[in-house]
Amino acid sequence: MTSANQRDQRDQYNHDDSHRWRPSPGEQSAERFWEDFYEEKDSVWSGKPNALLVREVEGVTPGTALDLGCGEGGDAIWLARQGWRVTAVDVSATALRRAEGHAAEAGVGDRITWQRHDLARSLPEGSFDLVSAQFLHSPVAEEGEREDILRRALDSVAPGGVLVIGSHAAWPSWVDSPPQDVHFPAVEEVVGALRLSDGQWTVEVAETVESELTDPEGRPGRRHDSVVRVRRAG
């Protein structure tokens, strides 16, 4: 699984992505789907960081960070520029090659380690002060796969560290006929699916956020996303 990354800082919504949501779970491997996804274009995302991640992390004392579903590296590069040492993960080798090149161009390549993982099967070893899971939605994920990944991501959070989850809460306003029946979790579902242990975790943020965007024709639109930030006891 990878993420549909980079927002509004989120000008990817100026493109019509609906055709990318046609496969059903089990029809295609995650690796093949996301390789095809990135090979369609020389560049997919804006290169800017996800706005919700910036909102939750900007100004925080940097440490070690894990970026799950890093795509072409926008979030990882932004974190590295803030002083974080980043491990960035994606299932697509094409995305990782592009991301590594962008990081070198930005002068932060020495602060980022790139790893290829299918998150449904493996995560990097170690613990991190920040684990970022931004928009881990995949049309080829099995039922419950995303929730399982997020629960396992909790194990990667160091004592006193945080997990920040950005999720889509609905299709953008201009999608009248969704190309696939996709369930976008409410913020309460995201928190509930983590199955947090009492006394071990604190829910610091759990909000639904409305963003103003432009549709593929350049007309004003909006999108509802959610952001969850949980902290492990120190």
Side-chain angles (χ1 to χ4, degrees):
M1 180 180 286
T2 190
S3 65
N5 239 340
Q6 272 78 350
R7 314 284 153 206
D8 256 4
Q9 316 182 0
R10 302 211 284 202
D11 52 0
Q12 88 280 18
Y13 284 129
N14 291 336
H15 306 288
D16 182 1
D17 291 341
S18 61
H19 68 286
R20 295 171 176 156
W21 290 89
R22 288 177 182 166
S24 297
E27 287 185 358
Q28 193 175 10
S29 72
E31 181 180 1
R32 184 69 267 155
F33 176 82
W34 291 107
E35 277 298 295
D36 291 345
F37 178 88
Y38 284 105
E39 288 175 354
E40 283 183 4
K41 296 181 180 181
D42 293 335
S43 178
V44 177
W45 309 121
S46 70
K48 299 175 182 178
N50 280 297
L52 294 180
L53 176 65
V54 173
R55 190 187 90 158
E56 298 304 321
V57 175
E58 193 167 32
V60 173
T61 301
T64 56
L66 173 61
D67 182 11
L68 298 176
C70 65
E72 292 168 326
D75 286 355
I77 292 168
W78 179 81
L79 287 167
R81 282 173 166 161
Q82 309 309 304
W84 295 83
R85 290 206 168 271
V86 185
T87 299
V89 177
D90 205 280
V91 72
S92 168
T94 297
L96 289 170
R97 283 195 299 271
R98 291 179 187 171
E100 187 171 10
H102 295 328
E105 292 171 1
V108 294
D110 61 335
R111 302 192 66 84
I112 307 174
T113 299
W114 308 97
Q115 296 187 20
R116 194 177 75 79
H117 288 264
D118 181 341
L119 297 179
R121 294 175 171 81
S122 65
L123 273 71
E125 296 180 356
S127 59
F128 303 85
D129 301 307
L130 164 68
V131 178
S132 173
Q134 302 304 305
F135 303 99
L136 288 178
H137 301 286
S138 172
V140 293
E142 299 293 338
E143 184 177 356
E145 187 174 296
R146 178 178 186 269
E147 290 77 9
D148 180 64
I149 291 168
L150 294 176
R151 283 192 292 271
R152 288 190 290 113
L154 291 170
D155 295 334
S156 299
V157 180
V162 296
L163 169 64
V164 177
I165 304 168
S167 307
H168 293 313
W171 290 99
S173 59
W174 57 85
V175 178
D176 296 323
S177 300
Q180 187 174 354
D181 183 15
V182 176
H183 174 68
F184 293 108
V187 67
E188 295 83 4
E189 293 178 78
V190 176
V191 174
L194 293 175
R195 301 175 187 170
L196 300 172
S197 302
D198 290 342
Q200 293 297 312
W201 295 91
T202 301
V203 179
E204 296 184 330
V205 176
E207 299 179 17
T208 300
V209 179
E210 181 177 291
S211 302
E212 294 183 359
L213 310 168
T214 55
D215 72 8
E217 306 301 323
R219 297 169 299 196
R222 64 188 183 280
R223 176 93 200 208
H224 288 90
D225 298 317
S226 68
V227 58
V228 170
R229 187 180 74 224
V230 299
R231 185 176 300 275
R232 183 190 284 273

